[in-house]
Structures are given as structure tokens and as C-alpha cells.
Amino acid sequence: MTSGFFHNSALDAKSDIERVKALIKGVVQGVGFRPLVFRLATDLVLFGSVKNTCHGVCIDIEGTKEKIDIFFKNLNKKAVSPISISSIDRSSEPLLGYKVFSIEKSTDEHSHSSALSPDLAICGECIADISDSRNRRYRYPFTTCSACGPRFSIVESLPYDRDNTSMRAFQMCAQCREEFENPSNRRFHAQTNACSACGPELKLLDSSGKLLLCGDAALSATVNYIKKGHIVALKGLGGFQLLADATSDQAVSILRERKQRKSKPFAVMFPSLSELTRHCLTSIYEENVLVGRQAPIVLVRKKAANIFGLSAFVAPENPFLGAMLPYTPLHYLLCNELGIPIIATSGNQSDEPICIDNAEALEQLSNIADLFLVHDRAIIHHVDDSIVQFIDKQPQVIRLARGFIPLSVPREKTGEFALATGGHLKNAVVMALHDEIIVSQYIGSLDTGKSRDVFSKVVRNLENIYRAAPKTIIHDLHPDYFSTSTFTSRPAAKISVQHHIGHAFSCFCEHKLSFPALAISWDGTGYGTDQTVWGAEFFLLRDSEVRRVGSFKPFMLPGGERAVYEPRRSAIGLLYEIFGKDVLGFKTLPSIQSFTGEELSLLEQMLEKKINSPYCSSMGRLFDGVSSLLGLVQKSDYEAEAAIRLESISQLSTLNKSYDFKFSYANVGGENILTADWGFLIRSILEDIGNGKPQCDISLKFHHTLATIACRVAEVFGIEQIILSGGCFQNRTLCQLVKKCLEAKNFRPFFNQLIPTNDNGLAFGQMAYYEKYLSQQ
Ligand SMILES: [Zn+2]
Ligand SMILES: [Zn+2]
């Protein structure tokens, strides 16, 4: 005991010194982690080094055991968002006698693709900088540090160094250079570092492109223009946005008129969380995401009484509002000075990708915007705002974009390069590299030439950045999708994946499930293996195969694709299936009334002769049909409007009842599959409509019925893990009811959370399917 006492530090300090090597994993690169390590180590007078490696950050440190323990304790405490440590692996090493602590330039960090970080929302320290009149960055709208700012949207190639980004155009001034080179500064190695003396500058242009003002004067003038009701096109982080005063009916309706967007909700940016919560009811979960580093649009519930003056035209007939907070210093300065909520919607022509270039924006948006607030930092990759909603306290990303992408998911086994090309609407692509899977930004609908160019550019960029030429291309089964046909001449193996199987696997792999599982894929429409249109499918997923084991009874869609934007056509298709020609006798039904006599007789002929009236089993179209029967939407202004309106009114009811339905077995393509017959359901709905039952009750009862059907099918197969995937599970009411129903029967339901359940997540599902069955053979 005494010897131990005597051997204490005071007598022989040297022997107390030890050397520890630690590998830190998690979100620790490109987020200011090395400067943090440097500060903590030098504060404690510890020596050694820190560097990025492809396995994580490696810390090599010498000092007393006590100090080293304090160091790691502090590291855990100080590593706050966006830094996130997932593991620290420590080992003892022989002493080397370090004399300094240094940040080492790593040799291999650039070979690792994860070096490409998503764009990050402005951090609290940078907000403090731009808000302090004594700070040299006071009101400078391009302030960033190593913990925040643009990343992916400005990078041309790897490594992520200034020379490979659009910041290359700006030479750092002496003061910025000093910060950049000083390891104890939080702007150490911040590739985007700049100030008003050396960085990007604002310019305010009129709609003909004439320069009106520069710098801070441009910012202040913009604030005044918005206050006066003008519409401003703003060059934001990943593209242009259209801004307008969200409290002015006139400004919002002018924007609607010019953008030719009748009723689709606009997203709103609030100056602060407290301002946001004056207008909306938010949970702590939603607030955490709103203020998080991804800073997405969050769909939050509006307050019932709109007493603070948000225009009713912002999100008409919708109990929810897409709300967000300023995520760049430019947005922050604008919103702070305005003090009112503003519309911040994508700067594009409808269905086109967002503009990223000043000249392009002037050309495309000059008939929408009165003014253009632009700058001279080029946007390399377009990135839309991400959208998140909450289902039962759990987040569900419904547009995966800014802050999340490029999303990297570890590959289960290393494999060859492969590309998954997604679907036609809400497109995104996925690239499988050596040991990880990268999800691209949201691209959108591939309807126009411009959006197809953007699609090709995104694929090209991914290939360039990661220097990957895919050996295999995985695409949707639909032969006519641009995302399928554009690659036919490529010398790569091609694999097609049925649309709804793709959805099922996006959820299966997101939750790292193991076989077997029953997947409920409820969606708009997709090409089936029997060449009919699918969309209300049940699949059995096993390690040997995927089998379609159930569906809904098919009905005809008069006019085919046109039915997607005319819910009344789905209604006619449903009625025709039940009543045949007699459907035209339902003269009081709003669906029938919305057609002229001429149109009706044409429809009748189409259905009778089965011309351009494909059979479908689509859940999306079933929703459309019911929405039309109830008189909610006959022609929709935007995708899924009819279903959204139907869900919205269901929330006014508390009824806990289902309609009747029945099952039968049907021979489909030689397979006997379980078929849910919605005939009774539609008949009962017609009866309720006839009896004047409230729309909200009918709607909720319809939702309950679907949940009951899902549960009955689950009981037939008795498999514990149930996957809920496809665009229909964006419907919160449906998702919640199905989930609750299944849980009550001891099933374990899973829904998409990070990977969108709609077609935005399809490419990931295609890749996941390929990984599970094909890549390792
Ligand atoms: Zn910052
Ligand atoms: Zn500077």
C-alpha cells in the first residue's frame, strides 16, 4: 500500500504518462470536429495529433491518464450537433514523446466518398456573428463556419476543397485566411470561409435583369419590396425560391395566379420558432426537427383560429401547413428584418426542376417575380427543400433533399457499382459504390425536356464525383418511363423491378428487416408484371422470392393516364364495375354531374368497348374515386389532391366504424390471389351519400375499412413483420389506423421514415431489391 502511495504523480510524473489511440466514428468529418479536438487537447496541454481517415477520425494523444480521461469526457460533452459520435474505440500504445498537438493532413480522406457532406443550416455561433454590430461579419449574408453552410450544392468534384467548389472564385482576404489556417479557430479549414471584403455579394435586379442595388442595400430594399406585396425570386442555397408576404391575401393570390397554381399549398418560412408557434400547433418532436441542422419544411397543424393573419390562400382547405425556419444567413437576415412569415416556394415553372442559374431564372421566372435577389456564388447541384411530417411522434421524410442528401447508407456486402434509376414521378436516383449506397437529390417528375436534362445531369454528376461507371442498371418495369428507356443503349446489365415491389423493399431495407415479411404496397399506379396497372398490392417477401399474394379487385380507368388528374374518371370506373351501363343513371352524383352529356356518352363507349380504359388495382385511384363521389375534387390541380382533401375532411370525424367488404380468391396470371372486393364498400358509401350522412364520417369510415382490410390480410398470412409502403402511406390517417389495427393484433408494422414512401424513395427500393436477391449470386 505504501509503495503505491509513494509512486504517486508527484514523485514520478513521467511514468504516469500514457499514449492512447482512438478511432472516432459517426458524423465527425466536414463538421468542425478536428478543430474541436485540437482545442480540447491544447487546453489540457496534451500532445499528439488528430486526422481524418476513411474509417473515421483518428486521435493519437499522450498525457497523464487523468487528463486523457478528462479529454475524452469533454469530447463527449462538447460534440454537439452537427457532430455526432457513434463510437470511440480506444487502445493503449507505446509512448512516442510528442511535443505538440497537431492537426494532420490526412492522406486517404479524399478517397472516401462520404467526404461529401449535405448542406447544413446556419449554426448558432454564425447567427451570433451576423447579429453583432461589432463583429466584422455583421449582416454578411454568406457567413459560414466549419459547422455550417453549403457543402453538396457547391461542390464540383472531390476532395471537398475550396478549389473544387464554386467558392474557388473568391480569394480569401488576409483576415479570413488567418481564421482558415488557425487550428483553434472555428473557421479552421472551413472551405466556404468568406466575409464582405472577399466573399460573394448580393445584387438586386429588376425582372428585366437590370441591376438596381448591391450588397446590404439590396437586402434592405428587398425587405421593403416584400412588405409592399411584391414577389421576389431569391437565389437561395440549392436553387431559386419565390418569396412573398404570407400575410397578404393579395400577394399570395398574385403569386398563385402567376405561377398558375390554383390550390396546392405553399410552404411558409417563419422568422423564428416562437413566431411559427403563434400560427401552428407543434410538438416537441416537430420543433426539434425544425431547428435541426437539416432544417426541412415540416408539415405542422395550423391553429384552428387564424388570428395572427396568415393569408387563407397559403394552404386552402388543408389543416396542415408546410413550415420552416431560415436556414441560411441570407434567409435569416431577410426574415429577421421582415418580422412576418413569408411564402418560400420553389422557383420553377410548374413541374420543372428549380432554377439554379441567374440567367436561367431571369428567363423562366420574369413573368412571376417582380425582382430578383441574386449573388455570384454558383450553385453546382440543385437541391430542393426537404419535407418531413410526423406520424405518431415518428418523423417521415416525404421529400429527401437539402440537409439529407447525398445520403450514404452502408452496403451490407461490398459489390460492383450499380445505378438504380427510380420511376417517373418524384424521381431520384441511387448509386451503389464499393461499400455504400448513395441517394441523389430529389429530381421530380420526368415529364418535360428540362427535367429529363436535369435527370441525366444528376446521373452524370454522380458518376463524375464518385468516379463510378455502373456495371448494372436497375429500373422500373415500365418500358416507357424515361428513367427506363434512356439507358437502353448503355453497355451495362439491366434489371427491372416491379414498381410496388420497389416500394416494399425501400421500407424493408430502411428498417434492416429480415425475411419473411408481408408488404402492403398501396400507391398510385405502377406497371404490373401482367401488364395491367397495379397499386393496391400485398406481397410475401421471403429469402427465396417475392410473391404477390393479394390485391384489390381491378376496375377500368376510362382515359388511362388522364384519370390521374381527373378523379371523376376513377369514380366512373368504380361505378361501371358495379352497375355497368346503369351508372349514367346516377344523375345526382357530383361525379356524373361534372361531365357534359356528350362526354358521358363518349365515356360509356370507351368503357363498353374497353378502349383506352386499362384495368387497375390502384389504391390511389380508389381514393380518387371516393373523393369524387363525395363531391370533393373532380379535376385535381396537383398530384394526389383528391386523396389529400379526403384525408383532410376525415379529421373532422371521430367515428370508429368500418364498411362491409368481402374477400375472394381470383386467378391472376395463373396464381390464385386473395382479392379484396370494394363493391359493398362503394355501394354503402353511395347509400350514405343518398341519406345525407356527413362527408367527414363517410371519409373516416372509408379509412377505417382499409385498415380493417389490411389487418384481415395480415391475419390470413400470419407473418409478424408488416411493411407499409407506397405513396398512400403518406396519408397520416391511413398510416395511423393501419398501424394501430395491426398492433392490436400483435403484428409489427413498419413504415418508411427516412426513405420516402412515395416515388422519391423508389430508386432506393430498387437498389435494395437488387442487393437482396441478385448482387451476391
Ligand atoms: Zn456556423
Ligand atoms: Zn474575408
Side-chain angles (χ1 to χ4, degrees):
M1 181 205 126
T2 42
S3 66
F5 185 76
F6 279 110
H7 273 277
N8 237 334
S9 56
L11 276 181
D12 193 359
K14 276 239 161 61
S15 70
D16 233 16
I17 301 284
E18 49 181 59
R19 174 168 165 238
V20 169
K21 246 184 157 173
L23 183 68
I24 323 285
K25 291 192 175 184
V27 182
V28 286
Q29 298 191 25
V31 286
F33 185 67
R34 287 177 301 169
L36 172 71
V37 170
F38 179 91
R39 280 198 299 277
L40 295 176
T42 45
D43 284 355
L44 288 162
V45 204
L46 290 165
F47 301 140
S49 68
V50 58
K51 70 172 176 183
N52 282 342
T53 78
C54 63
H55 306 292
V57 172
C58 185
I59 299 173
D60 188 349
I61 201 161
E62 277 185 5
T64 62
K65 182 182 180 312
E66 194 191 357
K67 279 189 182 176
I68 289 180
D69 286 342
I70 295 172
F71 167 80
F72 281 106
K73 212 182 276 168
N74 289 347
L75 189 63
N76 267 317
K77 214 163 41 188
K78 295 280 166 70
V80 292
S81 179
I83 300 168
S84 156
I85 295 176
S86 58
S87 68
I88 299 182
D89 194 9
R90 281 169 67 162
S91 64
S92 277
E93 300 286 326
L95 290 179
L96 283 178
Y98 288 121
K99 295 281 187 290
V100 291
F101 193 90
S102 61
I103 298 182
E104 276 182 31
K105 204 166 169 72
S106 30
T107 44
D108 59 354
E109 73 184 281
H110 302 325
S111 65
H112 190 54
S113 56
S114 297
L116 207 51
S117 155
D119 302 287
L120 304 171
I122 184 172
C123 73
E125 283 170 298
C126 284
I127 289 182
D129 285 350
I130 60 172
S131 311
D132 176 3
S133 59
R134 291 157 307 176
N135 191 294
R136 72 188 189 93
R137 286 195 173 77
Y138 180 55
R139 289 178 63 85
Y140 180 58
F142 302 95
T143 297
T144 67
C145 71
S146 53
C148 73
R151 296 283 190 279
F152 174 68
S153 61
I154 58 160
V155 75
E156 281 165 351
S157 62
L158 288 174
Y160 174 67
D161 282 339
R162 192 171 179 113
D163 275 351
N164 291 330
T165 70
S166 56
M167 284 302 290
R168 183 181 51 216
F170 307 95
Q171 275 273 309
M172 271 184 267
C173 66
Q175 272 177 295
C176 285
R177 166 77 42 197
E178 199 279 320
E179 294 165 340
F180 185 82
E181 287 170 356
N182 177 0
S184 64
N185 192 289
R186 83 172 204 280
R187 296 193 166 92
F188 175 70
H189 272 227
Q191 305 298 342
T192 47
N193 194 25
C195 71
S196 57
C198 64
E201 190 189 23
L202 283 181
K203 285 187 171 63
L204 184 66
L205 316 175
D206 70 12
S207 59
S208 70
K210 201 180 104 197
L211 178 66
L212 302 178
L213 291 160
C214 289
D216 204 47
L219 187 76
S220 302
T222 302
V223 168
N224 286 328
Y225 279 118
I226 293 175
K227 275 187 180 160
K228 279 189 217 143
H230 289 97
I231 292 163
V232 176
L234 170 82
K235 186 177 184 180
L237 188 72
F240 273 80
Q241 288 171 316
L242 292 162
L243 310 182
D245 178 354
T247 64
S248 158
D249 281 352
Q250 203 195 351
V252 181
S253 45
I254 288 175
L255 179 59
R256 285 211 175 276
E257 205 173 290
R258 294 191 193 161
K259 223 191 163 198
Q260 291 171 4
R261 189 157 142 172
K262 265 190 285 176
S263 51
K264 189 177 180 183
F266 284 130
V268 174
M269 186 179 272
F270 290 88
S272 63
L273 185 61
S274 61
E275 181 66 18
L276 191 154
T277 53
R278 289 205 310 148
H279 296 269
C280 308
L281 291 164
T282 52
S283 68
I284 186 76
Y285 309 98
E286 290 164 333
E287 288 171 16
N288 283 339
V289 170
L290 279 163
V291 303
R293 68 188 194 122
Q294 283 101 5
I297 296 171
V298 180
L299 300 181
V300 293
R301 195 174 279 276
K302 290 182 201 164
K303 279 189 179 165
N306 180 19
I307 46 174
F308 296 105
L310 207 63
S311 166
F313 301 135
V314 171
E317 318 259 8
N318 195 317
F320 287 84
L321 181 72
M324 66 180 138
L325 294 172
Y327 52 81
T328 69
L330 178 53
H331 287 112
Y332 181 85
L333 292 167
L334 270 175
C335 290
N336 213 37
E337 206 166 323
L338 273 161
I340 47 166
I342 51 171
I343 305 274
T345 186
S346 313
N348 58 355
Q349 304 261 11
S350 49
D351 284 337
E352 298 255 299
I354 46 173
C355 300
I356 58 172
D357 175 79
N358 294 353
E360 178 195 25
L362 278 165
E363 190 194 306
Q364 301 269 325
L365 307 175
S366 58
N367 52 357
I368 304 177
D370 302 302
L371 297 138
F372 289 74
L373 185 60
V374 302
H375 56 76
D376 47 0
R377 185 179 69 203
I379 297 169
I380 307 297
H381 305 282
H382 85 275
V383 189
D384 292 77
D385 291 321
S386 292
I387 306 177
V388 176
Q389 67 173 2
F390 277 76
I391 294 178
D392 272 355
K393 297 177 189 165
Q394 289 172 303
Q396 184 187 50
V397 176
I398 54 183
R399 190 202 279 160
L400 190 71
R402 178 179 49 74
F404 293 98
I405 56 91
L407 177 72
S408 163
V409 180
R411 219 169 159 176
E412 276 180 26
K413 282 184 191 167
T414 56
E416 289 191 327
F417 292 156
L419 171 73
T421 65
H424 180 71
L425 298 171
K426 298 189 165 71
N427 184 277
V429 299
V430 163
M431 185 83 88
L433 306 174
H434 186 61
D435 58 359
E436 64 185 323
I437 288 171
I438 306 283
V439 184
S440 88
Q441 71 267 50
Y442 177 85
I443 299 167
S445 144
L446 301 183
D447 274 328
T448 66
K450 199 179 157 212
S451 62
R452 290 172 181 195
D453 289 347
V454 169
F455 170 87
S456 304
K457 191 177 140 196
V458 167
V459 172
R460 215 165 43 235
N461 283 338
L462 282 172
E463 291 178 322
N464 288 342
I465 289 176
Y466 297 111
R467 294 188 194 92
K471 292 263 194 326
T472 306
I473 294 173
I474 307 130
H475 55 79
D476 193 272
L477 192 59
H478 202 308
D480 301 333
Y481 279 180
F482 178 76
S483 53
T484 302
S485 60
T486 186
F487 291 111
T488 40
S489 62
R490 277 237 198 168
K494 315 280 188 324
I495 289 165
S496 62
V497 181
Q498 200 278 324
H499 194 93
H500 307 103
I501 292 177
H503 281 309
F505 273 86
S506 75
C507 184
F508 183 86
C509 280
E510 179 187 340
H511 291 287
K512 299 188 171 63
L513 302 182
S514 50
F515 296 115
L518 179 76
I520 303 179
S521 261
W522 285 353
D523 195 36
T525 52
Y527 200 77
T529 56
D530 56 2
Q531 277 141 55
T532 68
V533 180
W534 289 9
E537 316 309 318
F538 298 88
F539 298 102
L540 206 52
L541 273 49
R542 288 195 287 227
D543 50 8
S544 54
E545 61 163 3
V546 182
R547 200 148 59 86
R548 184 187 188 214
V549 292
S551 184
F552 271 52
K553 187 179 176 192
F555 59 96
M556 278 194 274
L557 276 184
E561 286 289 297
R562 272 187 80 177
V564 176
Y565 287 95
E566 289 188 31
R568 56 188 185 162
R569 288 176 185 263
S570 294
I572 301 284
L574 290 166
L575 295 174
Y576 188 84
E577 195 59 35
I578 305 173
F579 304 105
K581 275 174 72 172
D582 295 342
V583 26
L584 302 182
F586 289 86
K587 291 215 170 7
T588 55
L589 271 181
S591 316
I592 302 285
Q593 280 177 347
S594 75
F595 289 104
T596 64
E598 216 173 314
E599 286 169 332
L600 281 175
S601 65
L602 202 69
L603 280 173
E604 192 189 352
Q605 284 175 39
M606 280 168 80
L607 288 162
E608 221 169 299
K609 296 178 184 154
K610 297 193 165 47
I611 304 166
N612 189 21
S613 301
Y615 270 99
C616 82
S617 62
S618 161
M619 182 58 73
R621 298 296 83 80
L622 183 60
F623 265 89
D624 283 356
V626 173
S627 188
S628 161
L629 291 175
L630 287 181
L632 295 176
V633 178
Q634 302 306 343
K635 287 188 187 178
S636 53
D637 182 37
Y638 55 94
E639 202 213 343
E641 184 187 7
I644 290 169
R645 291 280 304 281
L646 191 61
E647 188 206 348
S648 294
I649 59 152
S650 77
Q651 304 202 345
L652 303 171
S653 170
T654 52
L655 207 67
N656 189 5
K657 278 185 188 154
S658 281
Y659 287 112
D660 280 339
F661 58 90
K662 76 176 186 206
F663 282 120
S664 60
Y665 278 89
N667 189 303
V668 178
E671 294 247 30
N672 224 12
I673 69 166
L674 191 61
T675 305
D677 187 342
W678 39 261
F680 279 129
L681 170 64
I682 297 295
R683 280 173 190 271
S684 318
I685 286 177
L686 290 174
E687 218 167 279
D688 278 358
I689 293 172
N691 292 331
K693 292 267 171 68
Q695 288 174 326
C696 60
D697 286 347
I698 298 174
S699 172
L700 187 59
K701 220 170 150 184
F702 170 66
H703 281 80
H704 272 295
T705 313
L706 297 176
T708 314
I709 292 174
C711 212
R712 290 282 170 78
V713 176
E715 283 175 308
V716 169
F717 293 96
I719 289 167
E720 197 190 356
Q721 301 180 109
I722 311 286
I723 290 165
L724 312 177
S725 193
C728 297
F729 287 104
Q730 231 172 277
N731 177 327
R732 295 175 203 80
T733 308
L734 180 70
C735 195
Q736 266 162 8
L737 288 176
V738 173
K739 189 168 167 274
K740 218 169 110 190
C741 217
L742 288 166
E743 278 166 350
K745 304 263 180 186
N746 293 319
F747 290 102
R748 290 171 58 215
F750 297 88
F751 63 88
N752 289 76
Q753 291 190 251
L754 178 60
I755 303 295
T757 195
N758 57 45
D759 284 8
N760 188 190
L762 193 63
F764 181 83
Q766 293 168 340
M767 187 61 78
Y769 173 86
Y770 165 77
E771 290 283 287
K772 279 289 166 207
Y773 290 109
L774 305 160
S775 71
Q776 285 127 31
Q777 280 173 5

